[in-house]
Amino acid sequence: MPNHSNEELVSQIESSNKRKYFLEKLSEKVFLFCSLLSVISLLLIIGFVFYKGTHPFFAEGYSFIEFIFGLDWVPSEDKFGILPMIVASIFATIGALIIGVPIGLFTAIFLAEIAPKSIARIISPAVQLLAGIPSVLYGVFGLAIIVPFLQNHLGLAKGQSLIAVILVLAIMMLPTIVTVAETSIRAVPKTYREGSLALGASPIGTIFKVVVPAAKSGIMAAIVLGLGRAIGETMAVILVAGNSLVLPTSLTDSIRPLTTNIALEMGYAFGTHQEMLFATGIVLFSFILILNLVLAKIGSKGGK
Amino acid sequence: MNTTKMDRNKGNEQQIQNKISVNDLNLFYGEKQALFSISIDIREKGVTALIGPSGCGKSTFLRTLNRMNDLIDGVKISGDIVIDNENIYRSNDVIKLRTKVGMVFQKPNLFPMSIYDNVAYGPRMQGIKSKKVLNQLVEDSLKSAAIWDEVKDRLKSSALGLSGGQQQRVCIARAIAMKPEVILMDEPTSALDPISTLKVEELIANMKKDYTIVIVTHNMQQAARVSDKTAFFLNGEIIEYANTETIFSMPKDQRTEDYVTGRFG
Amino acid sequence: MRKAKDYFFQSLLWLSAIITIATLCIIVGFIFYKGIHLINLDFIFGDYSPSGGGGILPMIVTTIYTIVISLLIATPIGILAAVYLQEYAKQGRLIRIIRFATESLTGIPSIIYGLFGAVFFVTVLKMGMSIIAASLTLTIIVLPVIIRTTEEALKTVPLTYREGSLALGTTKLQTLYKVILPSAMPGILSGIILSIGRIVGESAAIFLTAGTVAAMPENIFSSARTLTVHSFLVTQEAGDIELAAAVGIVLIVIILILNLSATFISKKLNKADY
């Protein structure tokens, strides 16, 4: 190596370092700005939804209590009560959880612990694929199969009902719950199982007493994700809910959950009516927050 | 710089000068102090070994010499490190520092690119584009690292396909390609088999006429074989620093003796 | 006694698995059974005719528009944001706030995004019901997905690569685009594919921001409907289950292709490691 290129190198280095440090500082600022965009978006969304949604109560003299506990939603008569929708959302979500969570978890346990490897290797990716299918298609299925089935076998005048919503949401959350829970169950170290089996526990007992508790946090995550999918679901629900504005009293009542109310009326709403849809959004939002907190509580209690 | 500390090594070869001068260096990880008042002069062109039990601070110290500790959050440093009359923690040009002070790591850490691209990586990043210059630089560096003959026919294939020992020598070539004056080696053979280790040691012995080498090693035979001077670290302090022969044959400090004779560590 | 209990639980597990698998098979089977006879080249590449019998090309084009526009915006922003979080930021309050915001965005249901987009982009920014308004809404929806997957991908890049590069006197920026991003690329690509899936599957937010016009969009400021919205509307308005199912087949095939390519890429990723 001739000596001069060493000097060449050194001189090049000296001249370009200043520019490099400048670029370094500049790029860090750009990266920071990009990461702040998600904060800005969140603030924008929350600010916007809350500003719009609280406006009627602060500026137009509407009562928040009447909004929450009102039974009538007749925008043309200036009546905005969403109790039926709140109750519908709660019933639909809890119903879907009651059906979807145990079946989903048991399926996940089956796939991770009991199913022969060759079967699990086909089914697990297939279930994963189904988690990615647009939820609208579940609604189409619900309307085409579940609704007529209920109509014919339960003797309903209209098959679109709370139970139809519950079934569609439960089916929809299955792939999500199965996929996430299966991953976390598989992640439980083999030694746990061996330890339990060595103590004379049966394979099934080991699964329920050792493996499942060890995978608890992943299972909770699975439930939260499934729940998130169910509670926020809109378009599939519209197809099977019936959308009547009555306080649901039985599984066969036609319902209108919070989400569908927004989607159905947003197209033509303006003024106070539109703001009340934002208020509905706030309620939905709080609802999700509360459910997540409750689930987190249950999860941490179960750990003791 | 305290010139009286300078070690004049019985005047063999040429006159030996100090390359690196460290004075009262303290280093903290957050609240925890990891290095205590380190003062050491490291001679130019030669091998200085840093030995000591794990967690004694020798690697941490090595990484202060090219400011690699800057990458870790919460590291604070006081004291002076002077390389060629420049206080490296006063000047903020770490790019210049790291082009001058190269480093070879514990495990070979070649990038997932071809052998050629790995060696040419540093020079390219300095803005050298000429194919001719790069070709020459890659060839020279690989030759200096005694790996040219093994890889010259596969320069364009992935560097990760080489054996561990070969990879480590390409890492050395990659450092050499930057034309550094100092090369820091952090236990460069700890992940290698005995034969590869021997090759790397031979390489180090050949390199010391051109470079100032500071090597951290766990292996006392290695320190004895390759180094001219040895510093013994314990709990973040330098216990003893002397000619390698002296450290291994007649250490002054009882703790050094205990360590080099294998009584602990 | 214990044996009986074990037997009971074992049967429960089998039963659940059978229910899940059967249900999912029935759904996919149903969609294919109902829709497959409509699938042909004219259906996929033909223009839509409101009187029926036409193709779904406008919806495919609209779907592609929304994918391309939202990814063009969300991908660079998301990747750079993840780079900041993983490579530059020091632990502290700012980082916690950014992470919290990103996680919160993931938890917001799409109808709320739709609500926001329908007023902010459509009305306030005067975009009207349009592909661009929907795409910008979708950008916010997929941004956290891209940030999260890119962060995960960056985490898998060994620290030694960064050290090795920086020790050669390179800047962080050089290290980033020469070593770190190329190594993280497979993971980032899977994230992008995941986002495409999310965009294709999205309905409520698009319904409220892009409108429902069933015609070939002239440009990105036109109102139009995506495949998913189309599937919804033909079911709700016309009760045309067969058409909805045929669109469903197209959607399932798209998702299948996306999944397969994500799997393929992540397999490549594993091979690229030592």
Side-chain angles (χ1 to χ4, degrees):
Chain A
M1 184 78 192
N3 238 344
H4 69 262
S5 78
N6 193 5
E7 276 149 31
E8 190 185 295
L9 184 78
V10 170
S11 72
Q12 266 181 343
I13 289 167
E14 308 236 309
S15 66
S16 63
N17 281 5
K18 266 205 174 129
R19 216 185 95 239
K20 283 183 181 170
Y21 290 118
F22 172 73
L23 278 177
E24 195 79 345
K25 285 235 167 74
L26 182 73
S27 60
E28 184 168 350
K29 296 253 154 61
V30 172
F31 298 164
L32 171 63
F33 175 73
C34 287
S35 65
L36 284 177
L37 275 176
S38 56
V39 182
I40 295 170
S41 310
L42 182 70
L43 289 179
L44 209 60
I45 292 172
I46 292 189
F48 212 79
V49 170
F50 271 76
Y51 169 75
K52 279 262 179 189
T54 52
H55 193 256
F57 310 111
F58 287 127
E60 297 162 38
Y62 288 89
S63 155
F64 187 66
I65 302 290
E66 275 172 36
F67 172 68
I68 297 287
F69 293 105
L71 287 174
D72 298 311
W73 175 274
V74 192
S76 55
E77 292 172 21
D78 216 20
K79 282 186 187 156
F80 300 102
I82 60 165
L83 189 64
M85 307 171 203
I86 295 179
V87 175
S89 276
I90 294 176
F91 281 179
T93 308
I94 292 177
L97 282 177
I98 289 173
I99 298 178
V101 168
I103 295 183
L105 284 187
F106 285 162
T107 306
I109 294 170
F110 174 82
L111 288 175
E113 297 285 323
I114 293 192
K117 263 203 183 124
S118 53
I119 293 182
R121 208 173 294 155
I122 298 168
I123 292 177
S124 299
V127 173
Q128 211 173 342
L129 174 72
L130 285 163
I133 285 186
S135 42
V136 165
L137 298 182
Y138 289 95
V140 173
F141 171 77
L143 184 65
I145 302 290
I146 295 176
V147 167
F149 178 86
L150 293 172
Q151 214 160 338
N152 297 335
H153 289 79
L154 299 181
L156 304 181
K158 197 177 161 194
Q160 289 160 316
S161 58
L162 176 57
I163 182 72
V165 174
I166 288 175
L167 288 174
V168 166
L169 291 181
I171 295 172
M172 192 186 300
M173 66 181 12
L174 275 178
T176 311
I177 293 181
V178 172
T179 303
V180 180
E182 188 193 338
T183 312
S184 70
I185 292 170
R186 280 191 194 279
V188 174
K190 264 217 167 66
T191 48
Y192 283 38
R193 292 177 190 106
E194 285 160 0
S196 167
L197 291 172
L199 289 170
S202 67
I204 292 286
T206 301
I207 290 170
F208 283 96
K209 296 222 175 75
V210 178
V211 178
V212 170
K216 200 196 66 200
S217 72
I219 289 176
M220 280 316 285
I223 296 174
V224 168
L225 276 174
L227 172 76
R229 189 151 184 205
I231 194 173
E233 182 48 47
T234 310
M235 311 309 269
V237 172
I238 290 180
L239 294 176
V240 296
N243 304 313
S244 310
L245 280 161
V246 292
L247 196 65
T249 50
S250 90
L251 282 173
T252 53
D253 281 347
S254 161
I255 59 161
R256 179 189 292 204
L258 293 163
T259 50
T260 55
N261 188 44
I262 299 172
L264 285 170
E265 301 195 355
M266 195 57 200
Y268 58 86
F270 58 90
T272 308
H273 182 191
Q274 194 189 61
E275 285 166 354
M276 284 302 187
L277 293 179
F278 276 89
T280 313
I282 297 176
V283 173
L284 175 68
F285 206 64
S286 329
F287 192 36
I288 291 175
L289 223 62
I290 292 168
L291 263 168
N292 275 322
L293 287 177
V294 170
L295 277 176
K297 261 267 163 61
I298 296 172
S300 64
K301 260 192 194 152
K304 280 174 194 170
Chain B
M1 225 185 306
N2 190 350
T3 44
T4 55
K5 262 201 220 161
M6 208 186 268
D7 184 76
R8 299 194 185 277
N9 199 6
K10 288 172 197 157
N12 55 1
E13 302 159 35
Q14 75 263 56
Q15 198 187 16
I16 294 160
Q17 293 199 315
N18 282 345
K19 184 76 179 171
I20 303 170
S21 218
V22 179
N23 195 18
D24 192 23
L25 178 79
N26 291 285
L27 182 142
F28 298 84
Y29 288 116
E31 297 292 299
K32 199 176 150 267
Q33 187 163 5
L35 294 177
F36 297 84
S37 188
I38 303 284
S39 295
I40 182 173
D41 288 331
I42 292 169
R43 49 176 268 176
E44 186 168 20
K45 300 209 197 307
V47 179
T48 303
L50 312 178
I51 60 170
S54 29
C56 67
K58 55 192 191 307
S59 284
T60 304
F61 171 68
L62 189 78
R63 285 162 162 262
T64 60
L65 299 179
N66 65 345
R67 297 189 56 170
M68 285 305 275
N69 286 319
D70 291 13
L71 304 185
I72 303 164
D73 279 354
V75 167
K76 281 193 202 75
I77 281 175
S78 71
D80 295 319
I81 299 179
V82 177
I83 300 181
D84 286 344
N85 297 320
E86 201 175 347
N87 189 322
I88 61 167
Y89 279 89
R90 295 269 159 74
S91 117
N92 264 328
D93 198 345
V94 285
I95 299 178
K96 196 175 133 207
L97 170 69
R98 288 178 188 154
T99 51
K100 184 167 163 177
V101 181
M103 189 164 203
V104 176
F105 295 83
Q106 208 167 44
K107 278 188 192 153
N109 59 348
L110 292 174
F111 308 129
M113 334 169 162
S114 72
I115 297 168
Y116 182 96
D117 288 340
N118 263 286
V119 181
Y121 177 84
R124 273 181 177 148
M125 291 295 108
Q126 297 299 340
I128 296 180
K129 290 198 185 75
S130 153
K131 260 225 129 69
K132 223 181 95 197
V133 175
L134 284 175
N135 286 344
Q136 191 63 45
L137 201 49
V138 169
E139 182 175 339
D140 288 343
S141 308
L142 288 168
K143 277 179 177 160
S144 308
I147 181 88
W148 173 252
D149 290 332
E150 290 162 62
V151 300
K152 65 178 181 224
D153 301 323
R154 49 195 287 205
L155 288 177
K156 295 289 171 195
S157 55
S158 169
L160 301 185
L162 298 170
S163 75
Q166 289 173 321
Q167 286 195 26
Q168 193 61 307
R169 278 179 287 148
V170 175
C171 283
I172 294 174
R174 189 174 66 180
I176 291 176
M178 294 302 294
K179 307 251 148 209
E181 294 166 30
V182 180
I183 297 181
L184 310 176
M185 299 187 168
D186 190 357
E187 300 189 29
T189 61
S190 63
L192 305 184
D193 60 86
I195 292 170
S196 305
T197 299
L198 210 65
K199 280 189 182 160
V200 171
E201 284 180 12
E202 273 170 25
L203 178 56
I204 293 171
N206 281 330
M207 283 162 64
K208 73 178 183 186
K209 62 181 187 298
D210 298 318
Y211 303 95
T212 303
I213 296 173
V214 186
I215 179 169
V216 163
T217 179
H218 248 92
N219 176 336
M220 267 167 295
Q221 285 77 27
Q222 183 168 67
R225 281 194 297 261
V226 302
S227 71
D228 303 302
K229 300 204 65 170
T230 298
F232 171 59
F233 276 70
L234 188 63
N235 300 328
E237 287 179 86
I238 294 186
I239 302 299
E240 192 165 354
Y241 177 45
N243 288 334
T244 301
E245 273 174 49
T246 317
I247 288 274
F248 284 96
S249 54
M250 44 182 120
K252 289 200 189 78
D253 196 291
Q254 184 62 41
R255 289 167 292 179
T256 314
E257 188 175 342
D258 288 349
Y259 183 72
V260 297
T261 53
R263 241 166 271 169
F264 76 94
Chain C
M1 183 59 206
R2 206 179 78 175
K3 265 215 165 131
K5 216 164 142 191
D6 279 3
Y7 189 74
F8 171 73
F9 276 111
Q10 179 121 20
S11 329
L12 210 58
L13 291 178
W14 275 93
L15 185 69
S16 301
I18 290 168
I19 291 177
T20 302
I21 293 156
T23 314
L24 297 176
C25 284
I26 289 172
I27 291 180
V28 175
F30 157 80
I31 288 171
F32 274 80
Y33 171 75
K34 283 281 182 183
I36 197 76
H37 71 277
L38 287 177
I39 300 276
N40 55 43
L41 284 182
D42 282 345
F43 177 71
I44 291 171
F45 296 109
D47 204 345
Y48 182 74
S49 81
S51 53
I56 54 166
L57 189 63
M59 294 80 199
I60 292 180
V61 171
T62 306
T63 307
I64 291 172
Y65 266 137
T66 54
I67 293 171
V68 171
I69 298 171
S70 34
L71 284 184
L72 272 181
I73 307 170
T75 309
I77 295 177
I79 292 176
L80 297 186
V83 162
Y84 183 80
L85 292 173
Q86 276 299 314
E87 305 288 329
Y88 285 80
K90 298 207 163 68
Q91 290 308 315
R93 190 196 284 176
L94 182 67
I95 289 301
R96 282 204 300 277
I97 292 174
I98 296 173
R99 279 192 206 284
F100 174 77
T102 315
E103 264 167 45
S104 308
L105 282 177
T106 323
I108 296 178
S110 58
I111 185 73
I112 304 264
Y113 281 108
L115 201 54
F116 167 75
V119 174
F120 186 73
F121 294 121
V122 172
T123 315
V124 176
L125 298 185
K126 297 196 170 59
M127 292 176 182
M129 292 274 216
S130 59
I131 292 178
I132 182 77
S135 303
L136 290 173
T137 310
L138 286 166
T139 300
I140 306 179
I141 295 180
V142 296
L143 190 60
V145 179
I146 293 182
I147 293 178
R148 207 189 50 232
T149 47
T150 305
E151 274 200 82
E152 291 304 318
L154 290 174
K155 275 188 204 160
T156 64
V157 177
L159 183 67
T160 57
Y161 285 6
R162 296 177 180 90
E163 288 184 337
S165 174
L166 292 172
L168 290 166
T170 62
T171 63
K172 271 186 143 178
L173 193 59
Q174 289 175 319
T175 304
L176 188 69
Y177 77 86
K178 283 290 175 187
V179 177
I180 300 178
L181 284 182
S183 311
M185 203 38 89
I188 295 174
L189 279 179
S190 319
I192 293 174
I193 291 172
L194 212 68
S195 307
I196 299 178
R198 180 85 207 255
I199 295 170
V200 170
E202 185 51 57
S203 48
I206 301 177
F207 179 66
L208 293 188
T209 50
T212 57
V213 173
M216 186 63 85
E218 279 173 34
N219 55 45
I220 58 170
F221 298 100
S222 313
S223 167
R225 53 168 85 162
T226 59
L227 286 169
T228 318
V229 174
H230 188 51
S231 178
F232 167 78
L233 285 169
V234 296
T235 312
Q236 200 208 15
E237 289 172 352
D240 193 343
I241 301 289
E242 291 189 355
L243 181 53
V247 177
I249 294 175
V250 175
L251 285 168
I252 291 175
V253 170
I254 292 174
I255 299 290
L256 181 67
I257 292 170
L258 290 174
N259 268 35
L260 288 178
S261 35
T263 315
F264 176 74
I265 287 171
S266 59
K267 275 217 179 102
K268 254 195 149 171
L269 167 83
N270 291 337
K271 245 184 235 160
D273 277 344
Y274 283 96

